[in-house]
Amino acid sequence: MGARFAGKVVLVTGGSSGIGRETARAFAAEGATVVVAGRDEQRLAATVKELGGDASAVTVDVTDSGDVARMVETVVARHGGLHVAVNNAGILGSPAPAADLDEDGFGAVMATNVTGTWLSVKHEVAHMRAHGGGAIVNIASNIGAHGRLPNMAAYAASKAAVSALTRTAARDHIADGVRINAVSPGATDTDMSRRPGETDADRADRLKGAIPLGRVGATAEVAAAVLWLASDEAAFTVGHDLVVDGGATA
Ligand SMILES: NC(=O)c1ccc[n+]([C@@H]2O[C@H](COP(=O)([O-])OP(=O)(O)OC[C@H]3O[C@@H](n4cnc5c(N)ncnc54)[C@H](OP(=O)(O)O)[C@@H]3O)[C@@H](O)[C@H]2O)c1
């Protein structure tokens, strides 16, 4: 693989685990200066060590506007710019039938997945449009706009909102030179897709009938879609929501 991101500064929220960590690795492998962001300092430090090179971390709670503004300012102060942002931070919440969700649980999923993604877009665009543009990839989910699953009302609604936010923001800001797209992964091999106590084999068994390809996705398969959307090869792709789910919602 060539160095499609040489000279680029890339921010990945939720970059110290799962899909975010693999995406950070993939950008670093293609020459980017990567900054991973999240709440857990220790996990961020371990990820930075693993990434090596000029990778670094910034702590952030994406539900807090001041914190998100500080995250972008820190990246720019440290590296002189921000060219690509991957808004990947998200939570599943506790699955339950819609009427049995409680207000705090519903609110936490919305705050992280919807408000957190919007705040990230807001502060990233503010920098990018004043400094020659950039590319943003939001991580939604196939369960949002595309899928149908029981007990996922908060998560599904939040991710449908991320897909809608992506399309709208893409139209709002393409004239500013900021290209915004989304990736909607299906079940992917991270802790989030495992039920409590479930082994990889249990998960494979539970999901095999629901995924025509017959397996969960690898984090590298999601990262590859993110990198393509962030790259110049996707220069004419605007407001797209790229479903990467082994055919689950085809
Ligand atoms: N795995 C799947 O099957 C799947 C399928 C579709 C979509 N997705 C989406 O893919 C994204 C990554 O998920 P994953 O599977 O890789 O799960 P994960 O390992 O739990 O990653 C989620 C990341 O989000 C960060 N985060 C959560 N709340 C945050 C907050 N308030 N502020 C800052 N960072 C926060 C976490 O870091 P800290 O705890 O350190 O803050 C963590 O690094 C999520 O948006 C998820 O909804 C996953």
Side-chain angles (χ1 to χ4, degrees):
M1 189 61 80
R4 284 180 292 179
F5 297 95
K8 303 285 187 195
V9 179
V10 176
L11 168 68
V12 182
T13 71
S16 66
S17 64
I19 290 169
R21 185 172 55 202
E22 186 58 38
T23 300
R25 260 192 226 126
F27 274 112
E30 292 208 41
T33 295
V34 176
V35 182
V36 287
R39 294 165 302 176
D40 185 322
E41 254 179 274
Q42 280 186 338
R43 231 176 29 203
L44 287 168
T47 303
V48 165
K49 199 166 164 197
E50 193 188 319
L51 292 172
D54 55 3
S56 65
V58 57
T59 53
V60 70
D61 180 342
V62 296
T63 66
D64 182 300
S65 187
D67 231 23
V68 177
R70 185 186 49 77
M71 168 181 76
V72 172
E73 280 162 21
T74 303
V75 173
V76 172
R78 206 179 275 167
H79 299 294
L82 173 63
H83 306 108
V84 172
V86 181
N87 299 320
N88 162 79
I91 57 171
L92 186 66
S94 302
D100 301 329
L101 288 166
D102 65 54
E103 286 82 347
D104 286 351
F106 189 87
V109 171
M110 290 296 157
T112 306
N113 298 357
V114 185
T115 307
T117 303
W118 166 67
L119 286 172
S120 300
V121 166
K122 173 182 172 66
H123 293 292
E124 291 154 1
V125 167
H127 170 79
M128 287 173 175
R129 69 179 165 195
H131 297 88
I136 295 175
V137 181
N138 296 324
I139 305 301
S141 168
N142 70 337
I143 293 168
H146 313 280
R148 310 281 179 268
L149 272 187
N151 299 330
M152 300 292 277
Y155 184 75
S158 76
K159 290 300 187 173
V162 172
S163 294
L165 168 69
T166 300
R167 285 193 299 276
T168 313
R171 294 179 69 100
D172 288 345
H173 296 297
I174 191 62
D176 295 328
V178 183
R179 202 166 49 77
I180 306 177
N181 289 284
V183 170
S184 277
T188 305
D189 184 19
T190 74
D191 289 345
M192 191 181 280
S193 65
R194 241 175 247 114
R195 286 188 178 157
E198 198 174 52
T199 64
D200 284 0
D202 295 337
R203 183 184 57 192
D205 215 36
R206 172 171 57 85
L207 292 171
K208 67 173 186 276
I211 305 172
L213 189 61
R215 62 169 177 81
V216 300
T219 52
E221 291 170 319
V222 178
V226 174
L227 265 70
W228 179 73
L229 284 171
S231 77
D232 291 342
E233 292 155 27
F236 200 56
T237 303
V238 177
H240 187 62
D241 184 4
L242 179 50
V243 178
V244 180
D245 72 354
T249 54

